[in-house]
Amino acid sequence: MELPRVGYHSGKKVFTDEQEKELTEYLMKAADAFYGLCPREVKELAYQLAVKHGCKYPKSWDKFSRAGPDWFSAYMKRNPTLSIRSAEATSLARATSFNQHNVAMFFKKFDEVLKRHTLTANDIWNIDETGITTVQTPDRVIAKRGTKQVGAMTSAERGSLVTLACAVNAIGNTIPPMFVFPRIRYADHFVRDGPVGSIGSGNKSGWMQETEFLIFLKHFANHTKVSNEKKVILLMDNHSSHLSIAAIDFCKSNGIVMLTFPPHCSHKLQPLDRSVYGPLKKMVNSASDSWMRMNPGKTMTIYEIPGLVRTALPAAATPKNIQAGFQCCGIWPYNPNIFEDSDFAPSQVTDRPYGHFSS
C-alpha cells in the first residue's frame, strides 16, 4: 500500500531533464546574441515546447497560451546558471560590426605597425573623448521609510555638455586633458580650476571637431616629445574629426602613426572606454552631487566642470585601471585571441564586415 505524502513537495515536472537543458542552452545563446527573452516570453516558449513535445502540463496554461508563474519560479531555481538581468541598450551597428573579420583585420594592422616601428608599451597611446554634463544623476540618499517620493536637487531639467579629451598609454601614463566648451569665444580662465596642464577650446556645439582635434594633437606631441626618430602609435575611433587632412599631415610630420578602430567597435577595443571613462563618469556624478549640496540655491555651469574633473580624473585614470583597459582589449600585452566566440555572438545575426579603416 502506497503511503500518502505529507508536508511540502515539488510538483510534477513538465519537461524532462534533457528538454530543460536544451531550453536553458537556448536562452543563454539568445542572451549572448543580445536577443535575450524576458520572463513572459520564456513562459510562452515553454508552453509552445510543451505542446510540441506532447508534455503533460496544467490546463491553466491554455488560457493565456503560456506557462504559469509557479513553473517559471521552479524552473529558475532548478537552473541557477540563469538570472533575470537588466539589459544594456546596444545599437545594431555596434552589435553587428564587432565581428571576427573586423577584429582580425585590426589586430593584423596593429601587429604590422608594432613590428615596422619596433614599438613598446610606452609608445602605444589611446585617445578618446567623452561628454561631461552639468546635470548629474543624484546618488542614493537616506530618507524616512515609507516616503513615496524622495527628491534631489539638480541644476536644470537639461544640462549643458562639455567634451573631455584624454590620452593614455599602455604603461599607465596620461597627459593633461583637453576641454571643448560650447562657446564660440574661448578664454583661458575656463580651465583655471581644471587638472594641472589641461587646455581648452570652444565651438558652437561643444563637440570635438577638426580644428579642436588638431589643437589636441599639438598638445599631445608637446607632452610626449614624439618625433620621427621616436615614433608612437595613436589608437582612436574613426570619427571624421580625427581624419582631417590637417590632422593626418601633422601626424606624419611628427612621427605619430594613426590607427583607427573598426567602425562601432570602440566599446570593446578602446582601453579608455573599457576601464577609465566608466569610473570617471561615476566619480564626476558624485562630485556634482556634492557640489550641489555645498552650493544650495546655485546653478552649476559649464565652468565648474574642469574643477570636478580635477577631483575625479586622478582617481579614475590610475595606472592600474589604464593597464587593465589595454589588457582586456588585447592591445598590450598583445593578444589577438583575447575575445571568445561568445563575444562575437551578436554579430552572427548579420555577419557583415566593414573592411575599411585607416592606418
Side-chain angles (χ1 to χ4, degrees):
M1 179 178 177
E2 184 178 356
L3 296 176
R5 290 188 296 175
V6 296
Y8 293 105
H9 58 86
S10 60
K12 294 181 180 180
K13 289 175 61 176
V14 174
F15 302 105
T16 65
D17 291 341
E18 186 64 26
Q19 290 169 340
E20 277 205 358
K21 182 180 178 182
E22 291 180 2
L23 175 60
T24 301
E25 290 176 351
Y26 174 80
L27 294 177
M28 290 191 292
K29 287 181 179 179
D32 287 341
F34 292 6
Y35 286 92
L37 278 66
C38 67
R40 178 181 56 80
E41 292 170 329
V42 173
K43 296 173 189 176
E44 292 173 353
L45 178 61
Y47 174 77
Q48 295 169 9
L49 288 175
V51 172
K52 177 181 178 181
H53 292 302
C55 302
K56 292 183 178 181
Y57 57 86
K59 293 182 179 179
S60 58
W61 288 21
D62 291 321
K63 183 176 181 181
F64 298 105
S65 297
R66 61 173 177 261
D70 292 342
W71 173 86
F72 181 75
S73 298
Y75 169 73
M76 294 296 290
K77 289 180 180 178
R78 289 193 299 270
N79 295 274
T81 55
L82 299 177
S83 65
I84 301 175
R85 304 286 297 276
S86 295
E88 181 179 349
T90 304
S91 69
L92 182 63
R94 279 193 170 189
T96 57
S97 297
F98 186 77
N99 56 51
Q100 291 180 332
H101 173 85
N102 289 341
V103 173
M105 286 292 292
F106 167 76
F107 277 112
K108 180 182 178 182
K109 288 181 176 289
F110 179 55
D111 185 48
E112 291 173 356
V113 173
L114 291 180
K115 292 177 179 177
R116 187 189 313 153
H117 301 289
T118 319
L119 302 176
T120 62
N122 190 52
D123 308 316
I124 303 172
W125 288 83
N126 171 220
I127 67 171
D128 189 33
E129 305 92 41
T130 189
I132 307 294
T133 180
T134 56
V135 173
Q136 86 283 11
T137 301
D139 289 333
R140 292 185 176 184
V141 298
I142 305 298
K144 182 180 178 181
R145 182 182 295 274
T147 304
K148 293 184 178 180
Q149 185 173 3
V150 178
M153 196 66 66
T154 60
S155 292
E157 296 292 335
R158 294 182 61 185
S160 298
L161 184 137
V162 174
T163 296
L164 174 72
C166 297
V168 298
N169 75 352
I171 65 172
N173 289 336
T174 66
I175 69 168
M178 176 179 176
F179 297 88
V180 182
F181 294 85
R183 293 292 184 271
I184 296 176
R185 295 181 180 178
Y186 168 76
D188 290 338
H189 67 80
F190 288 5
V191 296
R192 178 183 55 198
D193 298 327
V196 176
S198 58
I199 63 170
S201 183
N203 60 47
K204 186 176 181 180
S205 67
W207 293 103
M208 181 71 78
Q209 297 181 4
E210 296 176 2
T211 301
E212 287 72 38
F213 185 64
L214 184 57
I215 294 174
F216 186 62
L217 283 177
K218 294 177 180 178
H219 175 67
F220 172 81
N222 180 53
H223 280 274
T224 58
K225 307 301 180 185
V226 62
S227 66
N228 285 314
E229 291 71 37
K230 192 180 187 308
K231 296 186 176 183
V232 300
I233 182 172
L234 200 55
L235 304 174
M236 56 191 178
D237 60 47
N238 65 342
H239 192 271
S240 58
S241 64
H242 296 164
L243 304 176
S244 66
I245 294 177
I248 294 173
D249 286 344
F250 179 84
C251 289
K252 286 185 176 180
S253 301
N254 290 273
I256 301 174
V257 182
M258 303 172 73
L259 179 64
T260 65
F261 300 113
H264 309 294
C265 292
S266 59
H267 64 296
K268 288 284 192 178
L269 289 173
Q270 183 146 245
L272 279 166
D273 277 347
R274 295 294 300 273
S275 65
V276 175
Y277 281 160
L280 175 66
K281 290 291 186 70
K282 291 180 180 179
M283 293 175 187
V284 168
N285 192 79
S286 295
S288 300
D289 231 17
S290 298
W291 190 94
M292 292 299 301
R293 284 192 288 269
M294 295 296 291
N295 297 271
K298 293 184 179 180
T299 299
M300 181 182 291
T301 68
I302 58 176
Y303 308 113
E304 272 73 51
I305 286 180
L308 301 177
V309 172
R310 181 173 184 169
T311 301
L313 187 60
T318 63
K320 182 179 180 181
N321 282 357
I322 295 169
Q323 292 170 10
F326 280 90
Q327 183 175 0
C328 70
C329 295
I331 292 174
W332 194 269
Y334 178 71
N335 182 8
N337 301 313
I338 189 71
F339 299 107
E340 301 178 355
D341 290 343
S342 59
D343 294 310
F344 300 110
S347 66
Q348 294 175 2
V349 178
T350 57
D351 197 21
R352 62 183 185 216
Y354 265 90
H356 295 288
F357 44 98
S358 304
S359 64

